[in-house]
Amino acid sequence: MPELTVDLGDRSYPIFIGSGTLSDASKLTPYIRAKQVAIVTNETIAPLYLNKLKSLLNDFDVIDIVLPDGEAFKNLQTLETVFDGLLQARHNRTTTLIALGGGVVGDMAGFAAACYQRGVEFIQVPTTVLSQVDSSVGGKTGVNHPLGKNMIGAFHQPNAVMIDTDVLGTLPDRELSAGIAEVIKYGLICDPEFYGWLQDNIAKLMARDTDSLVYAIHRSCADKAKVVAEDEKEAGIRAILNLGHTFGHAIETHVGYGEWLHGEAVAAGMVMAAKLSCRLGAISEDQVEQLQQLLKQANLPVLPPEGMTPENFLEIMAVDKKVLDSRLRLVLLEQVGKAVVTSEFDRGELDSTLLEMCSC
Amino acid sequence: MPELTVDLGDRSYPIFIGSGTLSDASKLTPYIRAKQVAIVTNETIAPLYLNKLKSLLNDFDVIDIVLPDGEAFKNLQTLETVFDGLLQARHNRTTTLIALGGGVVGDMAGFAAACYQRGVEFIQVPTTVLSQVDSSVGGKTGVNHPLGKNMIGAFHQPNAVMIDTDVLGTLPDRELSAGIAEVIKYGLICDPEFYGWLQDNIAKLMARDTDSLVYAIHRSCADKAKVVAEDEKEAGIRAILNLGHTFGHAIETHVGYGEWLHGEAVAAGMVMAAKLSCRLGAISEDQVEQLQQLLKQANLPVLPPEGMTPENFLEIMAVDKKVLDSRLRLVLLEQVGKAVVTSEFDRGELDSTLLEMCSC
């Protein structure tokens, strides 16, 4: 499987994808600038892969910073412990951070790299499907605020992304499903052929067939890299990557960070976006039904959490990052395989969609 | 007095300097992007100038976020209160932050702007000499960590800098002196003619003669703008702006943030850098003596705090942001009016300088 490149001029970087990537020091070390390396990981991943990664780094001065596991810890307080570790070890501007873990670790290590001494370099080593296909690529970093997800952060591109599909062997089923939600998203927003492939191969993916996983991860990263290269800082087209995320973030914020996995919230959110797109006449009820079936085959939720009301959604969605001059913007489907970002939708249909979904 | 421009391509911005700048809405409002404005200020400045600033912003939706006053509060905890205020008021990506205050407010509001929703715009309205001539210009933002000053931050350029010299009427004498330390710095590092002017006019500056203050602030900003335009992210020449700061930050960290004003620590630090430069044969003892006299006329300290040891300095300086691959780099004088950044100095002379200064 050839490597991919995220094409951003002098900030371009490679994505290595395959079985055994993490056994190959020659892929990793060219992207480390100087002697100091700080591996940021969490309590779950450290016992599994920290020593393996360290064994590739014998020629470097390596420290590790082990964070508690979970979205509930993706905040400024935990971030400060990363700075504590870097300063206690006297890491300077030439240090390279390596994020070893899922999306939470990647987002926090990346944001720490963006801010430490006003910016140091970092490498993503994502260990979940979700982080491999989504959060490790594209340079979005940050932490949550009690009033909104990912509200504090920076655009900070990594030097490289190293995806070893072997690590997925230890991924819990629930996390696999959550990652597949983002994979399905790429088909929906910009890759109808891939969406068809997913409908045919979802069972293989859920059975962790290696070839199918490598293909799906590679194709997802390729789709994402293309969008990011067009619009690094989300001035326009990049926002389509957030299909289902406005609804999904509202769910995550409402239930408390970590209660629902990000991918689970996105799955339910994509159904809501599809339902609204259907009400607006862009896609058919059959297509919404097909999406729900696909998500169910991936063991993903297709409804918001019990008890969550339309008011809950609207209140949290009002601070969404896509809101401009108080107008809510949403990612909707123009057709299956093509998404648009728009504030030009019938607000009544949004209300009806929320009412329908919240009373199921 | 004509306005200055910080020339950074599509991120260029103006610096307005003069008496009455803050009475002129037509200067400020063109730099505000949309309806939402958040003024970040502190408890000391709010009663003095918040309403005046707000009166220029009748056409906007304005909130204010009032922080406690002082370097001791320049940390991630206080920063979080800025995010709290922005999210509670549902400010979105088009909001404009206005920093109304000294260097601490400017650094924190600027860093909040860099991070809020991964980056919003901001305007600097500095109210101290120090922030007018230094921290408001050039886009360095950030907060302190217990183990090092300004260790967490971002480069984030403002849309504009509005300097009203009238606000200096309420500036305490000690703060005036602290600001003059940075003014003297510009003469020392890159502007020998200005250094001569300062020696002739220091009494007028300390007596708050308006024309002299406007001239000194304008010339300092012009010197800084030139250096920043050459090297925005401090890959090289920009580091000369830190003359005295490596020693100075060590003092601030050692005594506890806020005990010494930043400018006071920089004054003592500049003497230390000059002494070391003299030991290395670059400048004469007379020139060191002249610098000390000038600083004394500005009521600034010329020695480190009592009881601080060479070991205290070396320990804190080891995590200075200019350290590269464990080698300490310092800003030294090649001559009066010309600074260089170098790690090529006799380490023994540094030790002797520290020993001499710490035992005075």
Side-chain angles (χ1 to χ4, degrees):
Chain A
M1 189 68 64
E3 71 182 68
L4 293 165
T5 299
V6 184
D7 190 2
L8 291 167
D10 58 2
R11 281 170 294 104
S12 294
Y13 54 93
I15 309 172
F16 298 102
I17 304 167
S19 167
T21 307
L22 258 193
S23 306
D24 185 356
S26 74
K27 281 211 171 62
L28 177 66
T29 55
Y31 298 93
I32 300 174
R33 179 171 167 188
K35 278 279 168 200
Q36 293 178 325
V37 173
I39 302 171
V40 180
T41 185
N42 71 31
E43 289 165 351
T44 307
I45 294 298
L48 297 171
Y49 300 112
L50 181 56
N51 283 339
K52 186 178 173 74
L53 179 57
K54 277 185 170 171
S55 72
L56 304 184
L57 298 167
N58 289 327
D59 296 338
F60 299 87
D61 298 332
V62 181
I63 62 165
D64 53 77
I65 299 169
V66 181
L67 308 177
D69 184 11
E71 186 84 30
F73 299 98
K74 187 175 148 181
N75 54 38
L76 284 178
Q77 287 71 47
T78 310
L79 191 75
E80 187 136 28
T81 66
V82 180
F83 299 130
D84 293 345
L86 290 167
L87 280 163
Q88 277 154 13
R90 297 182 176 182
H91 274 226
N92 62 55
R93 271 189 189 164
T94 62
T95 188
T96 300
L97 271 59
I98 300 181
L100 174 69
V104 170
V105 164
D107 283 7
M108 279 206 286
F111 187 41
C115 298
Y116 186 63
Q117 302 208 8
R118 298 200 188 91
V120 298
E121 299 182 358
F122 83 115
I123 293 168
Q124 291 274 18
V125 183
T127 59
T128 62
V129 173
L130 192 135
S131 57
Q132 291 180 343
V133 301
D134 185 20
S135 57
S136 70
V137 175
K140 278 196 181 176
T141 71
V143 295
N144 299 327
H145 185 282
L147 295 176
K149 203 171 139 69
N150 293 332
M151 280 292 160
I152 306 161
F155 286 96
H156 191 56
Q157 301 292 344
N159 288 6
V161 182
M162 323 285 299
I163 297 176
D164 189 339
T165 50
D166 293 355
V167 304
L168 301 179
T170 54
L171 191 69
D173 288 339
R174 191 176 162 196
E175 300 253 7
L176 175 70
S177 293
I180 298 298
E182 295 278 2
V183 172
I184 292 169
K185 180 195 75 180
Y186 292 108
L188 273 179
I189 61 172
C190 65
D191 197 342
E193 187 187 288
F194 184 39
Y195 190 68
W197 183 91
L198 285 167
Q199 289 179 305
D200 295 339
N201 291 276
I202 187 69
K204 278 195 197 168
L205 282 176
M206 299 313 294
R208 302 182 189 231
D209 171 68
T210 302
D211 289 348
S212 302
L213 277 172
V214 170
Y215 176 78
I217 291 165
H218 188 275
R219 182 121 183 184
S220 297
C221 286
D223 285 338
K224 177 147 190 186
K226 191 160 165 279
V227 173
V228 168
E230 263 184 72
D231 175 23
E232 182 184 0
K233 298 212 171 155
E234 201 165 308
I237 184 74
R238 180 167 179 166
I240 66 166
L241 295 172
N242 287 321
L243 178 73
H245 283 58
T246 301
F247 299 108
H249 286 172
I251 292 171
E252 287 178 88
T253 305
H254 176 77
V255 297
Y257 299 130
E259 289 299 310
W260 278 45
L261 294 178
H262 175 62
E264 294 168 341
V266 166
M270 286 195 296
V271 175
M272 297 176 80
K275 286 255 185 194
L276 176 53
S277 304
C278 176
R279 281 184 179 272
L280 296 167
I283 64 171
S284 69
E285 285 185 20
D286 278 356
Q287 288 173 316
V288 177
E289 178 57 30
Q290 278 164 7
L291 172 62
Q292 288 174 304
Q293 285 311 316
L294 183 58
L295 295 169
K296 282 179 185 168
Q297 284 179 274
N299 302 317
L300 286 161
V302 296
L303 287 175
E306 226 171 297
M308 191 169 173
T309 64
E311 293 68 36
N312 295 149
F313 273 99
L314 291 172
E315 192 179 338
I316 300 169
M317 285 160 62
V319 291
D320 184 80
K321 289 194 292 300
K322 284 184 295 300
V323 169
L324 286 182
D325 269 338
S326 306
R327 296 193 68 177
L328 181 62
R329 292 189 308 151
L330 288 175
V331 186
L332 297 173
L333 293 174
E334 208 170 82
Q335 58 193 58
V336 169
K338 186 161 187 219
V340 290
V341 186
T342 181
S343 58
E344 304 291 323
F345 56 85
D346 184 335
R347 180 59 192 255
E349 297 293 358
L350 170 61
D351 294 338
S352 303
T353 304
L354 290 173
L355 206 60
E356 177 194 342
M357 295 292 288
C358 290
S359 55
C360 284
Chain B
M1 190 67 62
E3 71 181 68
L4 293 165
T5 299
V6 183
D7 190 0
L8 291 167
D10 59 1
R11 282 171 293 105
S12 295
Y13 54 92
I15 309 171
F16 298 102
I17 305 167
S19 166
T21 308
L22 258 193
S23 306
D24 186 356
S26 74
K27 280 208 172 62
L28 178 64
T29 55
Y31 298 93
I32 300 174
R33 178 171 168 190
K35 278 280 167 200
Q36 293 178 325
V37 172
I39 301 171
V40 180
T41 186
N42 71 30
E43 289 165 352
T44 307
I45 294 298
L48 297 170
Y49 300 112
L50 182 56
N51 283 338
K52 185 179 174 73
L53 179 56
K54 277 185 171 173
S55 72
L56 305 183
L57 298 167
N58 289 327
D59 296 337
F60 299 87
D61 299 332
V62 182
I63 62 166
D64 54 77
I65 299 169
V66 181
L67 308 177
D69 185 10
E71 186 85 30
F73 298 98
K74 186 175 147 180
N75 54 38
L76 284 178
Q77 288 70 47
T78 310
L79 191 74
E80 187 137 29
T81 65
V82 180
F83 299 130
D84 292 345
L86 291 168
L87 280 164
Q88 276 154 13
R90 297 184 175 181
H91 274 226
N92 62 56
R93 272 190 188 163
T94 63
T95 188
T96 300
L97 271 59
I98 300 181
L100 174 70
V104 171
V105 164
D107 284 6
M108 279 205 287
F111 187 41
C115 298
Y116 186 63
Q117 302 206 8
R118 297 199 187 92
V120 298
E121 299 182 357
F122 83 115
I123 294 168
Q124 290 273 20
V125 183
T127 59
T128 63
V129 173
L130 192 136
S131 57
Q132 291 179 346
V133 301
D134 186 19
S135 56
S136 69
V137 175
K140 278 194 182 178
T141 70
V143 296
N144 300 327
H145 184 281
L147 296 177
K149 203 171 138 71
N150 293 332
M151 281 291 160
I152 306 161
F155 287 96
H156 191 58
Q157 301 292 344
N159 287 5
V161 182
M162 322 287 299
I163 297 176
D164 189 339
T165 50
D166 293 356
V167 303
L168 301 179
T170 54
L171 190 69
D173 288 339
R174 192 177 160 195
E175 300 252 6
L176 176 69
S177 292
I180 298 299
E182 295 277 4
V183 172
I184 292 169
K185 180 195 75 180
Y186 292 108
L188 274 178
I189 60 172
C190 66
D191 196 344
E193 187 187 288
F194 184 38
Y195 190 69
W197 183 91
L198 285 167
Q199 290 179 305
D200 296 339
N201 292 277
I202 188 69
K204 278 195 197 167
L205 281 176
M206 298 315 293
R208 303 184 188 229
D209 171 67
T210 302
D211 289 348
S212 302
L213 277 172
V214 170
Y215 176 77
I217 291 165
H218 187 274
R219 183 121 181 182
S220 298
C221 285
D223 285 338
K224 177 147 190 185
K226 192 159 165 282
V227 174
V228 168
E230 262 184 72
D231 175 24
E232 182 185 3
K233 297 214 172 154
E234 200 166 307
I237 184 76
R238 180 168 179 165
I240 66 167
L241 295 171
N242 287 322
L243 179 73
H245 283 59
T246 300
F247 300 108
H249 285 171
I251 293 172
E252 287 178 88
T253 304
H254 176 78
V255 298
Y257 299 132
E259 288 300 309
W260 279 45
L261 294 177
H262 175 64
E264 294 168 342
V266 167
M270 288 195 295
V271 175
M272 298 176 80
K275 285 257 185 191
L276 176 54
S277 304
C278 176
R279 281 184 178 272
L280 297 168
I283 65 171
S284 70
E285 285 185 20
D286 280 356
Q287 289 174 316
V288 177
E289 179 57 31
Q290 278 165 7
L291 172 62
Q292 288 174 305
Q293 286 311 315
L294 184 58
L295 295 169
K296 283 178 183 168
Q297 285 179 273
N299 302 318
L300 286 161
V302 295
L303 287 174
E306 227 170 296
M308 192 169 172
T309 65
E311 290 68 36
N312 295 148
F313 273 99
L314 291 172
E315 192 179 338
I316 300 170
M317 286 160 63
V319 291
D320 184 80
K321 289 194 291 301
K322 284 185 294 301
V323 169
L324 286 181
D325 268 337
S326 307
R327 296 193 67 177
L328 181 62
R329 293 188 309 151
L330 288 175
V331 186
L332 297 172
L333 293 174
E334 207 168 82
Q335 57 193 59
V336 169
K338 186 163 187 216
V340 288
V341 186
T342 180
S343 57
E344 303 292 322
F345 54 86
D346 184 334
R347 180 60 193 255
E349 297 294 358
L350 170 61
D351 293 340
S352 303
T353 305
L354 290 173
L355 206 59
E356 177 194 343
M357 297 293 287
C358 290
S359 56
C360 283

